[in-house]
mmCIF file of all heavy atoms in Angstrom:
data_model
loop_
_atom_site.group_PDB
_atom_site.id
_atom_site.type_symbol
_atom_site.label_atom_id
_atom_site.label_comp_id
_atom_site.label_asym_id
_atom_site.label_seq_id
_atom_site.Cartn_x
_atom_site.Cartn_y
_atom_site.Cartn_z
ATOM 1 N N PRO V 1 -11.827 -12.968 -4.869
ATOM 2 C CA PRO V 1 -12.159 -11.714 -5.576
ATOM 3 C C PRO V 1 -10.922 -10.949 -6.064
ATOM 4 O O PRO V 1 -10.999 -10.205 -7.035
ATOM 5 C CB PRO V 1 -12.910 -10.889 -4.528
ATOM 6 C CG PRO V 1 -13.424 -11.884 -3.548
ATOM 7 C CD PRO V 1 -12.408 -12.991 -3.523
ATOM 8 N N GLY V 2 -9.782 -11.158 -5.396
ATOM 9 C CA GLY V 2 -8.595 -10.393 -5.752
ATOM 10 C C GLY V 2 -7.496 -11.159 -6.453
ATOM 11 O O GLY V 2 -6.642 -10.567 -7.113
ATOM 12 N N LYS V 3 -7.487 -12.489 -6.315
ATOM 13 C CA LYS V 3 -6.451 -13.268 -6.981
ATOM 14 C C LYS V 3 -6.915 -14.696 -7.218
ATOM 15 O O LYS V 3 -7.694 -15.238 -6.449
ATOM 16 C CB LYS V 3 -5.121 -13.238 -6.223
ATOM 17 C CG LYS V 3 -5.121 -13.774 -4.817
ATOM 18 C CD LYS V 3 -3.710 -13.873 -4.233
ATOM 19 C CE LYS V 3 -3.298 -12.661 -3.464
ATOM 20 N NZ LYS V 3 -2.072 -12.856 -2.689
ATOM 21 N N THR V 4 -6.391 -15.260 -8.281
ATOM 22 C CA THR V 4 -6.765 -16.621 -8.651
ATOM 23 C C THR V 4 -5.883 -17.634 -7.923
ATOM 24 O O THR V 4 -4.836 -17.281 -7.368
ATOM 25 C CB THR V 4 -6.591 -16.850 -10.166
ATOM 26 O OG1 THR V 4 -5.192 -16.760 -10.473
ATOM 27 C CG2 THR V 4 -7.380 -15.835 -10.979
ATOM 28 N N GLN V 5 -6.303 -18.872 -7.985
ATOM 29 C CA GLN V 5 -5.504 -19.948 -7.393
ATOM 30 C C GLN V 5 -4.151 -20.034 -8.088
ATOM 31 O O GLN V 5 -3.132 -20.273 -7.451
ATOM 32 C CB GLN V 5 -6.271 -21.268 -7.517
ATOM 33 C CG GLN V 5 -5.623 -22.417 -6.790
ATOM 34 C CD GLN V 5 -6.559 -23.602 -6.666
ATOM 35 O OE1 GLN V 5 -7.590 -23.512 -6.034
ATOM 36 N NE2 GLN V 5 -6.183 -24.708 -7.268
ATOM 37 N N ALA V 6 -4.132 -19.797 -9.393
ATOM 38 C CA ALA V 6 -2.873 -19.808 -10.142
ATOM 39 C C ALA V 6 -1.940 -18.694 -9.662
ATOM 40 O O ALA V 6 -0.731 -18.899 -9.533
ATOM 41 C CB ALA V 6 -3.143 -19.678 -11.636
ATOM 42 N N GLN V 7 -2.508 -17.530 -9.372
ATOM 43 C CA GLN V 7 -1.690 -16.418 -8.858
ATOM 44 C C GLN V 7 -1.145 -16.750 -7.475
ATOM 45 O O GLN V 7 0.008 -16.438 -7.168
ATOM 46 C CB GLN V 7 -2.515 -15.129 -8.807
ATOM 47 C CG GLN V 7 -2.823 -14.543 -10.163
ATOM 48 C CD GLN V 7 -3.828 -13.414 -10.088
ATOM 49 O OE1 GLN V 7 -4.839 -13.503 -9.392
ATOM 50 N NE2 GLN V 7 -3.550 -12.333 -10.814
ATOM 51 N N ILE V 8 -1.966 -17.370 -6.639
ATOM 52 C CA ILE V 8 -1.517 -17.775 -5.312
ATOM 53 C C ILE V 8 -0.354 -18.755 -5.436
ATOM 54 O O ILE V 8 0.668 -18.618 -4.766
ATOM 55 C CB ILE V 8 -2.680 -18.393 -4.500
ATOM 56 C CG1 ILE V 8 -3.709 -17.309 -4.159
ATOM 57 C CG2 ILE V 8 -2.166 -19.081 -3.227
ATOM 58 C CD1 ILE V 8 -5.014 -17.835 -3.597
ATOM 59 N N ALA V 9 -0.502 -19.734 -6.313
ATOM 60 C CA ALA V 9 0.554 -20.728 -6.525
ATOM 61 C C ALA V 9 1.839 -20.059 -6.997
ATOM 62 O O ALA V 9 2.933 -20.382 -6.513
ATOM 63 C CB ALA V 9 0.094 -21.783 -7.521
ATOM 64 N N GLN V 10 1.709 -19.137 -7.930
ATOM 65 C CA GLN V 10 2.885 -18.438 -8.451
ATOM 66 C C GLN V 10 3.561 -17.620 -7.357
ATOM 67 O O GLN V 10 4.778 -17.665 -7.199
ATOM 68 C CB GLN V 10 2.489 -17.539 -9.619
ATOM 69 C CG GLN V 10 3.668 -16.838 -10.258
ATOM 70 C CD GLN V 10 3.243 -15.949 -11.416
ATOM 71 O OE1 GLN V 10 2.075 -15.560 -11.527
ATOM 72 N NE2 GLN V 10 4.183 -15.617 -12.267
ATOM 73 N N GLU V 11 2.772 -16.873 -6.579
ATOM 74 C CA GLU V 11 3.324 -16.069 -5.479
ATOM 75 C C GLU V 11 4.004 -16.955 -4.442
ATOM 76 O O GLU V 11 4.979 -16.544 -3.820
ATOM 77 C CB GLU V 11 2.218 -15.258 -4.812
ATOM 78 C CG GLU V 11 1.718 -14.093 -5.622
ATOM 79 C CD GLU V 11 0.597 -13.351 -4.907
ATOM 80 O OE1 GLU V 11 0.574 -13.334 -3.657
ATOM 81 O OE2 GLU V 11 -0.265 -12.784 -5.604
ATOM 82 N N ALA V 12 3.474 -18.154 -4.251
ATOM 83 C CA ALA V 12 4.035 -19.072 -3.263
ATOM 84 C C ALA V 12 5.302 -19.753 -3.766
ATOM 85 O O ALA V 12 6.022 -20.374 -2.987
ATOM 86 C CB ALA V 12 2.993 -20.131 -2.889
ATOM 87 N N GLY V 13 5.564 -19.651 -5.068
ATOM 88 C CA GLY V 13 6.757 -20.266 -5.635
ATOM 89 C C GLY V 13 6.537 -21.676 -6.158
ATOM 90 O O GLY V 13 7.498 -22.391 -6.457
ATOM 91 N N PHE V 14 5.284 -22.082 -6.300
ATOM 92 C CA PHE V 14 4.986 -23.394 -6.867
ATOM 93 C C PHE V 14 5.018 -23.290 -8.385
ATOM 94 O O PHE V 14 4.667 -22.258 -8.955
ATOM 95 C CB PHE V 14 3.611 -23.895 -6.412
ATOM 96 C CG PHE V 14 3.503 -24.125 -4.932
ATOM 97 C CD1 PHE V 14 2.493 -23.529 -4.196
ATOM 98 C CD2 PHE V 14 4.410 -24.937 -4.259
ATOM 99 C CE1 PHE V 14 2.377 -23.737 -2.830
ATOM 100 C CE2 PHE V 14 4.305 -25.151 -2.889
ATOM 101 C CZ PHE V 14 3.292 -24.549 -2.175
ATOM 102 N N LEU V 15 5.408 -24.367 -9.038
ATOM 103 C CA LEU V 15 5.496 -24.361 -10.493
ATOM 104 C C LEU V 15 4.127 -24.364 -11.166
ATOM 105 O O LEU V 15 3.970 -23.814 -12.249
ATOM 106 C CB LEU V 15 6.323 -25.560 -10.978
ATOM 107 C CG LEU V 15 7.780 -25.573 -10.518
ATOM 108 C CD1 LEU V 15 8.482 -26.846 -10.977
ATOM 109 C CD2 LEU V 15 8.518 -24.341 -11.017
ATOM 110 N N THR V 16 3.157 -24.998 -10.519
ATOM 111 C CA THR V 16 1.809 -25.048 -11.091
ATOM 112 C C THR V 16 0.766 -24.776 -10.017
ATOM 113 O O THR V 16 1.021 -24.966 -8.825
ATOM 114 C CB THR V 16 1.497 -26.433 -11.698
ATOM 115 O OG1 THR V 16 1.436 -27.395 -10.647
ATOM 116 C CG2 THR V 16 2.537 -26.854 -12.722
ATOM 117 N N ALA V 17 -0.416 -24.363 -10.449
ATOM 118 C CA ALA V 17 -1.533 -24.146 -9.522
ATOM 119 C C ALA V 17 -1.997 -25.464 -8.933
ATOM 120 O O ALA V 17 -2.685 -25.475 -7.907
ATOM 121 C CB ALA V 17 -2.686 -23.448 -10.238
ATOM 122 N N ASN V 18 -1.627 -26.562 -9.562
ATOM 123 C CA ASN V 18 -2.041 -27.878 -9.098
ATOM 124 C C ASN V 18 -1.591 -28.135 -7.658
ATOM 125 O O ASN V 18 -2.284 -28.810 -6.905
ATOM 126 C CB ASN V 18 -1.490 -28.958 -10.039
ATOM 127 C CG ASN V 18 -2.060 -30.318 -9.735
ATOM 128 O OD1 ASN V 18 -3.251 -30.459 -9.524
ATOM 129 N ND2 ASN V 18 -1.197 -31.305 -9.698
ATOM 130 N N MET V 19 -0.460 -27.585 -7.259
ATOM 131 C CA MET V 19 0.018 -27.814 -5.889
ATOM 132 C C MET V 19 -0.931 -27.202 -4.878
ATOM 133 O O MET V 19 -1.216 -27.798 -3.835
ATOM 134 C CB MET V 19 1.434 -27.255 -5.710
ATOM 135 C CG MET V 19 2.034 -27.582 -4.368
ATOM 136 S SD MET V 19 2.161 -29.372 -4.111
ATOM 137 C CE MET V 19 2.698 -29.419 -2.435
ATOM 138 N N VAL V 20 -1.459 -26.032 -5.152
ATOM 139 C CA VAL V 20 -2.427 -25.407 -4.250
ATOM 140 C C VAL V 20 -3.689 -26.266 -4.194
ATOM 141 O O VAL V 20 -4.251 -26.492 -3.123
ATOM 142 C CB VAL V 20 -2.749 -23.955 -4.670
ATOM 143 C CG1 VAL V 20 -3.860 -23.369 -3.809
ATOM 144 C CG2 VAL V 20 -1.497 -23.086 -4.569
ATOM 145 N N ALA V 21 -4.111 -26.774 -5.341
ATOM 146 C CA ALA V 21 -5.284 -27.652 -5.387
ATOM 147 C C ALA V 21 -5.043 -28.911 -4.557
ATOM 148 O O ALA V 21 -5.927 -29.372 -3.825
ATOM 149 C CB ALA V 21 -5.626 -28.021 -6.825
ATOM 150 N N MET V 22 -3.844 -29.471 -4.642
ATOM 151 C CA MET V 22 -3.509 -30.677 -3.869
ATOM 152 C C MET V 22 -3.505 -30.386 -2.370
ATOM 153 O O MET V 22 -3.945 -31.217 -1.571
ATOM 154 C CB MET V 22 -2.162 -31.238 -4.330
ATOM 155 C CG MET V 22 -2.218 -31.837 -5.724
ATOM 156 S SD MET V 22 -0.593 -32.294 -6.373
ATOM 157 C CE MET V 22 -0.076 -33.528 -5.202
ATOM 158 N N LEU V 23 -3.025 -29.208 -1.983
ATOM 159 C CA LEU V 23 -3.041 -28.826 -0.571
ATOM 160 C C LEU V 23 -4.469 -28.649 -0.086
ATOM 161 O O LEU V 23 -4.823 -29.079 1.012
ATOM 162 C CB LEU V 23 -2.246 -27.531 -0.352
ATOM 163 C CG LEU V 23 -0.734 -27.633 -0.539
ATOM 164 C CD1 LEU V 23 -0.104 -26.248 -0.546
ATOM 165 C CD2 LEU V 23 -0.109 -28.510 0.529
ATOM 166 N N LYS V 24 -5.311 -28.019 -0.905
ATOM 167 C CA LYS V 24 -6.716 -27.813 -0.545
ATOM 168 C C LYS V 24 -7.453 -29.137 -0.356
ATOM 169 O O LYS V 24 -8.263 -29.269 0.551
ATOM 170 C CB LYS V 24 -7.437 -27.014 -1.643
ATOM 171 C CG LYS V 24 -7.155 -25.554 -1.643
ATOM 172 C CD LYS V 24 -7.782 -24.789 -2.790
ATOM 173 C CE LYS V 24 -9.021 -25.368 -3.387
ATOM 174 N NZ LYS V 24 -9.550 -24.587 -4.515
ATOM 175 N N ARG V 25 -7.188 -30.090 -1.224
ATOM 176 C CA ARG V 25 -7.858 -31.396 -1.149
ATOM 177 C C ARG V 25 -7.255 -32.297 -0.080
ATOM 178 O O ARG V 25 -7.843 -33.305 0.277
ATOM 179 C CB ARG V 25 -7.778 -32.114 -2.493
ATOM 180 C CG ARG V 25 -8.645 -31.550 -3.569
ATOM 181 C CD ARG V 25 -8.732 -32.473 -4.783
ATOM 182 N NE ARG V 25 -7.491 -33.124 -5.145
ATOM 183 C CZ ARG V 25 -6.592 -32.646 -6.014
ATOM 184 N NH1 ARG V 25 -6.810 -31.505 -6.607
ATOM 185 N NH2 ARG V 25 -5.492 -33.313 -6.272
ATOM 186 N N GLY V 26 -6.062 -31.956 0.390
ATOM 187 C CA GLY V 26 -5.391 -32.815 1.362
ATOM 188 C C GLY V 26 -4.653 -33.962 0.716
ATOM 189 O O GLY V 26 -4.320 -34.953 1.364
ATOM 190 N N ALA V 27 -4.370 -33.842 -0.576
ATOM 191 C CA ALA V 27 -3.649 -34.888 -1.287
ATOM 192 C C ALA V 27 -2.140 -34.776 -1.061
ATOM 193 O O ALA V 27 -1.399 -35.717 -1.321
ATOM 194 C CB ALA V 27 -3.958 -34.823 -2.782
ATOM 195 N N SER V 28 -1.699 -33.618 -0.583
ATOM 196 C CA SER V 28 -0.278 -33.394 -0.358
ATOM 197 C C SER V 28 -0.087 -32.586 0.917
ATOM 198 O O SER V 28 -0.936 -31.765 1.277
ATOM 199 C CB SER V 28 0.328 -32.637 -1.539
ATOM 200 O OG SER V 28 1.715 -32.440 -1.357
ATOM 201 N N LYS V 29 1.037 -32.830 1.567
ATOM 202 C CA LYS V 29 1.359 -32.001 2.733
ATOM 203 C C LYS V 29 2.211 -30.831 2.262
ATOM 204 O O LYS V 29 2.821 -30.871 1.198
ATOM 205 C CB LYS V 29 2.067 -32.808 3.811
ATOM 206 C CG LYS V 29 3.444 -33.310 3.450
ATOM 207 C CD LYS V 29 4.025 -34.132 4.578
ATOM 208 C CE LYS V 29 5.336 -34.756 4.144
ATOM 209 N NZ LYS V 29 5.879 -35.618 5.174
ATOM 210 N N LEU V 30 2.231 -29.796 3.062
ATOM 211 C CA LEU V 30 3.001 -28.605 2.732
ATOM 212 C C LEU V 30 4.433 -28.777 3.233
ATOM 213 O O LEU V 30 4.655 -28.913 4.439
ATOM 214 C CB LEU V 30 2.369 -27.368 3.385
ATOM 215 C CG LEU V 30 3.105 -26.046 3.202
ATOM 216 C CD1 LEU V 30 3.189 -25.663 1.720
ATOM 217 C CD2 LEU V 30 2.424 -24.946 3.999
ATOM 218 N N PRO V 31 5.422 -28.764 2.317
ATOM 219 C CA PRO V 31 6.814 -28.833 2.766
ATOM 220 C C PRO V 31 7.142 -27.609 3.622
ATOM 221 O O PRO V 31 6.713 -26.494 3.309
ATOM 222 C CB PRO V 31 7.624 -28.818 1.463
ATOM 223 C CG PRO V 31 6.650 -29.239 0.400
ATOM 224 C CD PRO V 31 5.305 -28.733 0.865
ATOM 225 N N LEU V 32 7.862 -27.811 4.706
ATOM 226 C CA LEU V 32 8.157 -26.715 5.629
ATOM 227 C C LEU V 32 8.896 -25.561 4.965
ATOM 228 O O LEU V 32 8.690 -24.404 5.331
ATOM 229 C CB LEU V 32 8.944 -27.233 6.836
ATOM 230 C CG LEU V 32 8.219 -28.242 7.726
ATOM 231 C CD1 LEU V 32 9.122 -28.684 8.866
ATOM 232 C CD2 LEU V 32 6.912 -27.681 8.251
ATOM 233 N N ASP V 33 9.732 -25.864 3.961
ATOM 234 C CA ASP V 33 10.466 -24.791 3.297
ATOM 235 C C ASP V 33 9.563 -23.926 2.413
ATOM 236 O O ASP V 33 9.957 -22.846 1.984
ATOM 237 C CB ASP V 33 11.636 -25.343 2.488
ATOM 238 C CG ASP V 33 11.220 -26.233 1.331
ATOM 239 O OD1 ASP V 33 10.149 -26.882 1.409
ATOM 240 O OD2 ASP V 33 11.972 -26.291 0.338
ATOM 241 N N ARG V 34 8.334 -24.361 2.174
ATOM 242 C CA ARG V 34 7.388 -23.594 1.361
ATOM 243 C C ARG V 34 6.426 -22.753 2.204
ATOM 244 O O ARG V 34 5.615 -22.002 1.668
ATOM 245 C CB ARG V 34 6.563 -24.539 0.476
ATOM 246 C CG ARG V 34 7.377 -25.282 -0.555
ATOM 247 C CD ARG V 34 8.051 -24.291 -1.471
ATOM 248 N NE ARG V 34 8.711 -24.983 -2.551
ATOM 249 C CZ ARG V 34 8.860 -24.500 -3.745
ATOM 250 N NH1 ARG V 34 8.393 -23.291 -4.020
ATOM 251 N NH2 ARG V 34 9.469 -25.175 -4.670
ATOM 252 N N VAL V 35 6.521 -22.869 3.512
ATOM 253 C CA VAL V 35 5.614 -22.138 4.399
ATOM 254 C C VAL V 35 5.708 -20.623 4.197
ATOM 255 O O VAL V 35 4.674 -19.964 4.029
ATOM 256 C CB VAL V 35 5.837 -22.532 5.882
ATOM 257 C CG1 VAL V 35 5.107 -21.575 6.815
ATOM 258 C CG2 VAL V 35 5.389 -23.965 6.120
ATOM 259 N N PRO V 36 6.907 -20.021 4.206
ATOM 260 C CA PRO V 36 6.951 -18.557 4.073
ATOM 261 C C PRO V 36 6.313 -18.048 2.775
ATOM 262 O O PRO V 36 5.551 -17.076 2.793
ATOM 263 C CB PRO V 36 8.445 -18.225 4.116
ATOM 264 C CG PRO V 36 9.058 -19.370 4.856
ATOM 265 C CD PRO V 36 8.245 -20.578 4.452
ATOM 266 N N GLY V 37 6.600 -18.703 1.668
ATOM 267 C CA GLY V 37 6.040 -18.277 0.388
ATOM 268 C C GLY V 37 4.528 -18.414 0.337
ATOM 269 O O GLY V 37 3.831 -17.510 -0.136
ATOM 270 N N LEU V 38 4.016 -19.545 0.824
ATOM 271 C CA LEU V 38 2.572 -19.744 0.801
ATOM 272 C C LEU V 38 1.883 -18.787 1.769
ATOM 273 O O LEU V 38 0.817 -18.254 1.461
ATOM 274 C CB LEU V 38 2.208 -21.199 1.114
ATOM 275 C CG LEU V 38 0.712 -21.522 1.004
ATOM 276 C CD1 LEU V 38 0.177 -21.224 -0.401
ATOM 277 C CD2 LEU V 38 0.453 -22.965 1.389
#
């Protein structure tokens, strides 16, 4: 209701919203250096 997946990806420092989608589907693991941003 307050933010899109693209906004979440941008706030997390990912180049595209696709990375959030990959994390949601389990297609990719979360790099430890990206934990604080996400």
Side-chain angles (χ1 to χ4, degrees):
K3 60 172 93 169
T4 66
Q5 187 167 297
Q7 289 170 316
I8 291 169
Q10 183 180 20
E11 287 179 30
F14 296 126
L15 297 176
T16 67
N18 189 45
M19 186 60 186
V20 174
M22 290 172 62
L23 291 170
K24 283 175 26 181
R25 288 192 320 269
S28 182
K29 66 182 174 184
L30 177 62
L32 296 179
D33 64 331
R34 295 300 186 149
V35 168
L38 185 59

